[in-house]
Amino acid sequence: MIKVLENPFYYLENFHQVLVWIGERYDDLLTADERHFLATFSTLPQSSRALFVRMVMRKGTVFRASKLVYAEIGSTHEAARPLAQAGLIEEDPQLELDALFDLLQKPEIVKVFQLGAHVKHLRKADQLEALREQYDCAHRFSGWYANSGDHVYRNLTQQLCDRLRLIFFGNYHQDWTDFVLSDLGIYQYEKVEFSPAARGFRSRRDIDDFLAIHQCHERFAEGEDPAAVIADLPPCAPDNEWLRSRRNKLLFAIAQHVEKLRDWPTAHAMYADCDYPGARARAIRVLEKNEQPREAFDLLQIALQAPESEAERQQLLRMAPRLARKLGHAKPPPVVLAQAERIDLSLPPPEEASYVEFVVRDHLSRDDAPVYYVENSLINSLFGLLCWDAVFSPIPGAFFHPYHRGPADLHSADFQRRRAQQFGDALSQLDGDQYRATIRTNFAAKYGIQSPFVFWEAVDEELLDLALDCIPPQHLKRAFERILLDVKSNRSGFPDLIQFWPAERRYNMIEVKGPGDRLQDNQLRWIEYCAAHAMPISVCYLQWAA
């Protein structure tokens, strides 16, 4: 149940929690200014600390006092004074014209600059352009707007606080709202035991490398020259796989950009230097585009001997006949893939707009053979419930704060290997009947807790019971083993629908394709896998009747 937060300083308590957590676990990695902040922040008055956290949680670094009005803080200006004395914020800072426009409303702009009729009715952006040449110097806010009756502050420590947030979360996509959502009961997180070794960053170099990679990512996103960005990419410590993965992901994105520019040699060199999944296949494709079929074919043969994944193998098999033809080689024998059963339907269009999956679901569903729209939710959820303890095992470096939706190394190549014993124990339950009790127990005990696999909103007890009664444990084991082969790729691509025959204790998975739609690569891989292992699967092609 969602609760109301009674403590008006809940956000300040959360901020202090982060500072204490970092101080206890990362003191040996902190810089002098970070240690000084942790040591002195708690000595400030409560209202000042609360105002500071409110600033940190907001976007930007420059704020008007009139926009920082909170009942629990009281006078904003009085609360700001100790922050300025401590050097955390600057009162009445120098502002360029653009920064000033971000603070002012349109009527204020007209008043401050005494705009004439031909300018005051323009859009704010056009007013800025009209004034830019005339006002190209910075002034304090009080100089720009002498009689505003307002105060302006600049947060001087936003970057430091962002670093502390990074050290705590180990990423930049989580922020202070995660605390609030947890406090409100909207998000619930599994409680994992944190060992002394459970630190996202093991050295100051790790922190600095992460920051450098993030800055390079931002520069690339803003359109900076890729060569300049790559020149500043740190090499990363060889024993930190998750940081190297972030670096390689950025390299792969830059290589794709260079490939689109048709700079084949540079793109190939970047792909060849990148371990990110898919880079080798792209390197082969770039060699082909650069009229180097021999080099491309040779690399393809090496890759086929040990594909990095099913996805790469799929790509290689598509390229092989084309490259062989270009070199005058005999056409390689076709690869015979297991096929799914085909269902052809011709139905009248629905009276109201509806997804084709729902149209087919409603058409096929019967009282004695219900059909559910599940897509990726059902099998993943069954896997997550059976393997809950394995997924949330306190492996060093997997969890290092209380707000993890899943382990930090979820997409790492050694995710399964590092938990081989735990996953082995979980999947061995499918050799008997214990798996049913484990799944049902975890469904009840863990309901609503964040998980990278369980779709709580899509799976209820009725669907859970049907799945456990109708899907043989051997089929579940096959599906779960494939998920573990490549968690990132194999969590998706499942068929849209599943039909159950409870009286016969059997099921069928159904992928639906409407007019003009075709099977995606990840769907083809799951279809081939299921068909090859005698797991019932069909592809339904729907056409609209005239």
Side-chain angles (χ1 to χ4, degrees):
M1 179 181 295
I2 297 176
K3 60 185 178 182
V4 176
L5 298 178
E6 297 179 355
N7 179 8
F9 292 101
Y10 64 91
Y11 54 93
L12 179 57
E13 285 193 4
N14 291 336
F15 191 78
H16 275 292
Q17 178 184 336
V18 170
L19 300 188
V20 170
W21 186 278
I22 292 172
E24 290 176 348
R25 288 166 175 78
Y26 291 100
D27 181 70
D28 58 314
L29 307 188
L30 300 181
T31 61
D33 61 333
E34 291 163 354
R35 284 199 191 92
H36 177 73
F37 179 83
L38 264 61
T40 60
F41 181 72
S42 61
T43 65
L44 296 170
Q46 183 185 52
S47 60
S48 300
R49 286 179 280 129
L51 178 63
F52 179 80
V53 176
R54 287 290 193 183
M55 291 182 182
V56 169
M57 294 176 66
R58 286 193 169 206
K59 184 178 179 180
T61 59
V62 181
F63 310 97
R64 296 178 68 164
S66 58
K67 301 297 182 182
L68 295 170
V69 177
Y70 301 97
E72 75 277 8
I73 292 176
S75 170
T76 302
H77 194 52
E78 290 300 318
R81 190 168 289 117
L83 297 175
Q85 293 170 351
L88 300 182
I89 68 171
E90 178 186 6
E91 291 187 277
D92 199 16
Q94 296 271 351
L95 299 175
E96 302 284 350
L97 188 65
D98 292 71
L100 179 69
F101 262 63
D102 288 339
L103 295 178
L104 298 182
Q105 296 179 336
K106 199 172 177 181
E108 293 177 308
I109 294 171
V110 173
K111 179 181 178 181
V112 168
F113 295 99
Q114 299 181 347
L115 299 182
H118 66 293
V119 179
K120 70 179 183 179
H121 295 300
L122 294 176
R123 294 184 305 117
K124 193 174 177 181
D126 294 329
Q127 291 175 338
L128 175 60
E129 291 305 315
L131 295 169
R132 192 181 297 282
E133 289 188 10
Q134 185 179 355
Y135 298 94
D136 60 350
C137 295
H139 302 283
R140 296 194 181 278
F141 180 77
S142 59
W144 285 111
Y145 196 179
N147 299 315
S148 69
D150 207 348
H151 299 276
V152 168
Y153 315 105
R154 171 176 278 127
N155 182 359
L156 300 176
T157 53
Q158 185 66 47
Q159 288 188 348
L160 183 147
C161 291
D162 285 342
R163 290 201 305 274
L164 295 178
R165 176 166 62 89
L166 167 65
I167 293 170
F168 179 79
F169 284 115
N171 60 67
Y172 268 130
H173 64 261
Q174 286 182 283
D175 58 29
W176 311 108
T177 58
D178 281 65
F179 289 88
V180 181
L181 294 172
S182 176
D183 290 341
L184 290 171
I186 297 173
Y187 286 168
Q188 302 175 59
Y189 299 91
E190 178 71 342
K191 291 179 173 59
V192 179
E193 179 182 346
F194 298 98
S195 68
R199 302 203 302 182
F201 301 102
R202 292 166 293 179
S203 67
R204 187 67 202 190
R205 176 184 173 178
D206 285 348
I207 298 173
D208 294 338
D209 284 349
F210 189 106
L211 289 168
I213 293 170
H214 178 75
Q215 290 164 2
C216 286
H217 182 277
E218 296 292 300
R219 288 162 56 191
F220 172 64
E222 292 170 1
E224 191 170 329
D225 178 29
V229 174
I230 293 174
D232 291 336
L233 263 179
C236 295
D239 62 341
N240 194 320
E241 182 175 337
W242 72 278
L243 262 184
R244 285 191 294 107
S245 177
R246 292 186 66 88
R247 182 183 188 275
N248 284 327
K249 184 177 182 180
L250 176 56
L251 268 179
F252 186 78
I254 297 175
Q256 287 181 304
H257 172 75
V258 174
E259 182 183 350
K260 289 177 182 178
L261 298 177
R262 305 176 69 85
D263 183 353
W264 312 129
T266 303
H268 176 263
M270 293 180 63
Y271 284 131
D273 189 41
C274 179
D275 291 333
Y276 196 72
R280 182 166 59 175
R282 291 313 311 169
I284 296 171
R285 187 73 179 103
V286 165
L287 286 172
E288 182 185 7
K289 290 179 178 180
N290 199 30
E291 304 299 332
Q292 295 178 272
R294 166 56 60 191
E295 292 80 356
F297 186 79
D298 290 345
L299 182 56
L300 181 140
Q301 295 305 308
I302 295 172
L304 274 175
Q305 294 176 17
E308 66 182 22
S309 65
E310 292 177 352
E312 187 188 49
R313 176 176 175 272
Q314 188 180 48
Q315 290 177 293
L316 297 175
L317 291 176
R318 285 178 179 161
M319 290 189 283
R322 187 174 63 246
L323 287 171
R325 185 173 62 251
K326 288 183 177 181
L327 293 171
H329 295 172
K331 184 178 180 180
V335 178
V336 180
L337 303 177
Q339 299 294 312
E341 177 188 350
R342 179 178 176 120
I343 302 172
D344 288 288
L345 287 180
S346 178
L347 300 175
E351 295 183 1
E352 298 182 1
S354 179
Y355 291 107
V356 293
E357 296 87 352
F358 296 165
V359 173
V360 173
R361 177 197 63 188
D362 296 342
H363 174 77
L364 295 178
S365 191
R366 307 195 309 265
D367 289 343
D368 62 338
V371 181
Y372 292 81
Y373 174 74
V374 294
E375 200 173 17
N376 300 315
S377 63
L378 179 59
I379 299 299
N380 273 303
S381 294
L382 293 171
F383 170 83
L385 291 169
L386 178 64
C387 301
W388 189 279
D389 291 344
V391 171
F392 289 98
S393 296
I395 301 293
F399 299 95
F400 38 91
H401 62 76
Y403 301 93
H404 277 284
R405 182 171 178 264
D409 63 338
L410 182 67
H411 295 155
S412 297
D414 61 350
F415 171 72
Q416 186 276 338
R417 181 179 57 79
R418 297 183 69 208
R419 303 160 176 81
Q421 181 64 52
Q422 292 91 330
F423 280 120
D425 292 343
L427 267 57
S428 68
Q429 296 181 43
L430 293 161
D431 297 330
D433 205 46
Q434 179 60 34
Y435 74 97
R436 295 171 177 270
T438 299
I439 288 175
R440 287 195 172 99
T441 297
N442 284 336
F443 183 82
K446 307 296 185 181
Y447 192 87
I449 296 176
Q450 295 288 297
S451 163
F453 295 101
V454 183
F455 295 69
W456 296 113
E457 72 283 358
V459 180
D460 56 20
E461 290 192 43
E462 178 184 8
L463 178 57
L464 193 69
D465 289 340
L466 281 170
L468 292 177
D469 287 343
C470 297
I471 303 177
Q474 298 86 352
H475 292 183
L476 291 177
K477 192 171 188 178
R478 291 288 191 184
F480 297 169
E481 288 172 343
R482 185 172 186 272
I483 289 174
L484 284 171
L485 284 175
D486 185 348
V487 171
K488 184 175 183 180
S489 298
N490 294 344
R491 280 191 298 170
S492 62
F494 290 94
D496 301 305
L497 309 177
I498 190 166
Q499 186 166 22
F500 297 108
W501 287 266
E504 303 170 37
R505 298 175 71 88
R506 66 182 181 92
Y507 74 105
N508 185 40
M509 296 177 287
I510 306 167
E511 177 62 35
V512 179
K513 291 299 168 189
D517 199 2
R518 64 180 182 84
L519 291 167
Q520 303 300 310
D521 283 350
N522 60 347
Q523 295 170 339
L524 286 168
R525 294 193 294 271
W526 264 113
I527 288 170
E528 178 192 355
Y529 182 85
C530 291
H533 291 91
M535 299 162 66
I537 190 166
S538 305
V539 180
C540 177
Y541 293 93
L542 172 66
Q543 298 293 331
W544 300 123

